[in-house]
Amino acid sequence: MAQITFKGNGINTAGNLPEIGATAPDFKLTASDLSEKSLSDYKGKNVVLNIFPSVDTGVCAQSVRTFNKEVSAIDNTVVLCISKDLPFALNRFCAAEGLSNVETLSDFKSDDFTNAYGVKMTDGPLNGLMSRAVVVINPEGKVVYNEQVPEITQEPDYNHAINALK
């Protein structure tokens, strides 16, 4: 269990992020067209998992915008923006913002991803949603970077995540 904060108040997650060097857990998530996606769909690519509570908050929205811009020029790389938001809301946000270099995926149907990656917040006002985290997976399926952002209202460390891809 990770201990993080929301506006300075302590919150716990149900687990911990996968460790660096570990094989990234597979998952099933729902895409904007309601199809099912899994990590194996991205085999052979660098994968950035941008995990957040809800795209309807300023910091979460900014993380999607920033990864859309910063990672678009890196070959063989996909950014998956993952939350419990409905696929329709995620798709609407990206369409309104003109974001085409990220994919949005939702764990609204189950806690498959949330449990596998240890990001479910177990208390506090955002109980049940995902914490803010970034996991970078190399083409061999190994975790090469992880960050459990310590304060929900802070953005992730984009530079460290991007440097893990190089």
Side-chain angles (χ1 to χ4, degrees), residues 30-80:
T30 305
S32 61
D33 64 359
L34 301 180
S35 65
E36 189 174 87
K37 293 283 192 169
S38 67
L39 181 58
S40 59
D41 292 325
Y42 306 96
K43 187 175 181 174
K45 292 185 177 208
N46 289 305
V47 178
V48 177
L49 304 179
N50 177 30
I51 306 160
F52 51 86
S54 175
V55 77
D56 288 325
T57 66
V59 176
C60 299
Q62 186 57 48
S63 73
V64 175
R65 288 184 202 105
T66 300
F67 277 119
N68 180 77
K69 178 183 174 190
E70 298 297 327
V71 179
S72 64
I74 301 173
D75 289 336
N76 198 39
T77 301
V78 61
V79 177
L80 306 179

Side-chain angles (χ1 to χ4, degrees), residues 65-121:
R65 288 184 202 105
T66 300
F67 277 119
N68 180 77
K69 178 183 174 190
E70 298 297 327
V71 179
S72 64
I74 301 173
D75 289 336
N76 198 39
T77 301
V78 61
V79 177
L80 306 179
C81 296
I82 303 168
S83 72
K84 288 274 190 184
D85 289 308
L86 290 175
F88 317 113
L90 292 165
N91 190 46
R92 182 177 57 247
F93 171 80
C94 287
E97 295 276 333
L99 306 178
S100 59
N101 299 320
V102 296
E103 287 186 45
T104 56
L105 298 173
S106 175
D107 197 22
F108 83 101
K109 289 184 180 180
S110 72
D111 281 334
D112 181 57
F113 175 87
T114 310
N115 291 331
Y117 283 78
V119 293
K120 182 178 183 176
M121 290 185 276

Side-chain angles (χ1 to χ4, degrees), residues 15-25 49 51 113 115-119 133-137 142-147:
N16 293 301
L17 295 173
E19 293 183 19
I20 293 173
T23 299
L49 304 179
I51 306 160
F113 175 87
N115 291 331
Y117 283 78
V119 293
V134 176
V135 177
V136 178
I137 303 164
K142 300 289 185 185
V143 175
V144 295
Y145 175 80
N146 66 25
E147 177 191 11

